[in-house]
Amino acid sequence: MSRTARSSSKVASVVPVSFYERAPDIVARALLGKMVVRDWKTERLIGRIVEVEAYFGTEDPAAHSYIGRTARNAVLFGPPGIAYVYFIYGMYYCLNVSCEPDGQAGGVLIRALEPVAGLETMAKLRKLAPNPKPQLLTSGPGRLCQALDITRAAHNGLDVTDPSSCLRIEDDNYHPEAIQVTPRIGIRHAADLPARFLIDKNKFVSGSR
DNA sequence: GGAGCGATGTCCT
DNA sequence: GGACATCGCTCCG
């Protein structure tokens, strides 16, 4: 065994449950730079998280959990580290990860990824012409779900801390240099709360509207 | 390159 | 019946 410190630091490992057992804004900020890994057929589609938003349980009018526990949002009230996937505007899915301890609601919305592996397949899943601008693949919550073939039926309730899950979040020891905090995007309630976190100067963050 | 708007399913009141 | 954590197209400058 002659593995150097440099190469061993690049070995990716799944992010543990304890990581998610904290407040949504803490988890959101800490998720920047982590990798979303999707085993799709025989391929591995990978994107680095560059933009996220925190949603605060029953106290946050913009959060799905604000109205209390229902069949739809049950995942947010359950154990941490579970994928919460919902369908929005009749055609798109959005990917969240539950946080806070079991019984307490909270979640983080993954808003944008920097594509790392499987770009050709992502383009096909997005129904784009070959060799599109990479920003069109995964910059936006609806886009990244389409690019990684993430659906509510297949992935809602999945444990992203399980190394055998087809959708999981891994840490390869990448640490973003600078992080920016802004209000959340595309919501009507509590739109002034600074709960959107992004990697400063990264080209793959989604635009504001 | 930016603002406006329509498409479209699911869930809750 | 209406809200909705979106996107891509159109139209205008």
Side-chain angles (χ1 to χ4, degrees):
Chain A
M1 277 263 283
S2 61
R3 200 164 53 180
T4 66
R6 186 160 172 271
S7 67
S8 68
S9 74
K10 284 193 169 182
V11 173
S13 58
V14 98
V15 176
V17 183
S18 57
F19 178 95
Y20 302 96
E21 205 163 26
R22 301 179 287 173
D25 51 338
I26 305 293
V27 176
R29 181 187 285 265
L31 273 176
L32 290 175
K34 302 290 187 286
M35 297 193 304
V36 174
V37 181
R38 168 82 168 102
D39 288 330
W40 189 84
K41 300 191 177 176
T42 59
E43 293 184 64
R44 183 160 291 176
L45 313 177
I46 302 177
R48 192 178 299 285
I49 298 172
V50 299
E51 179 184 349
V52 291
E53 284 177 1
Y55 285 87
F56 300 95
T58 51
E59 307 294 306
D60 180 358
H64 285 186
S65 43
Y66 183 64
I67 56 172
R69 186 185 190 126
T70 65
R72 181 206 195 192
N73 65 24
V75 167
L76 292 173
F77 288 80
I82 306 295
Y84 171 56
V85 182
Y86 65 89
F87 195 65
I88 192 72
Y89 297 123
M91 42 178 99
Y92 298 106
Y93 293 98
C94 290
L95 171 66
N96 302 244
V97 183
S98 67
C99 38
E100 301 274 19
D102 192 5
Q104 214 175 321
V108 174
L109 169 68
I110 314 290
R111 281 197 58 88
L113 304 174
E114 175 171 344
V116 171
L119 274 65
E120 285 186 23
T121 299
M122 291 182 192
K124 282 181 199 160
L125 287 166
R126 292 266 297 118
K127 299 181 171 61
L128 299 172
N131 303 313
K133 291 175 80 77
Q135 286 91 330
L136 289 176
L137 295 174
T138 53
S139 294
R143 287 171 173 174
L144 73 90
C145 283
Q146 196 176 27
L148 300 188
D149 191 24
I150 294 170
T151 63
R152 178 172 147 85
H155 301 102
N156 188 52
L158 207 72
D159 183 355
V160 301
T161 69
D162 182 346
S164 65
S165 284
C166 66
L167 176 67
R168 57 195 185 276
I169 297 180
E170 296 187 359
D171 185 358
D172 69 339
N173 243 354
Y174 176 90
H175 295 290
E177 290 185 10
I179 289 171
Q180 204 179 332
V181 187
T182 76
R184 295 173 292 188
I185 287 183
I187 55 171
R188 304 220 178 354
H189 300 289
D192 52 333
L193 195 66
R196 172 175 176 249
F197 301 86
L198 53 102
I199 296 182
D200 194 31
K201 297 190 179 73
N202 186 284
K203 286 179 294 190
F204 295 90
V205 303
S206 68
S208 54
R209 222 174 254 252

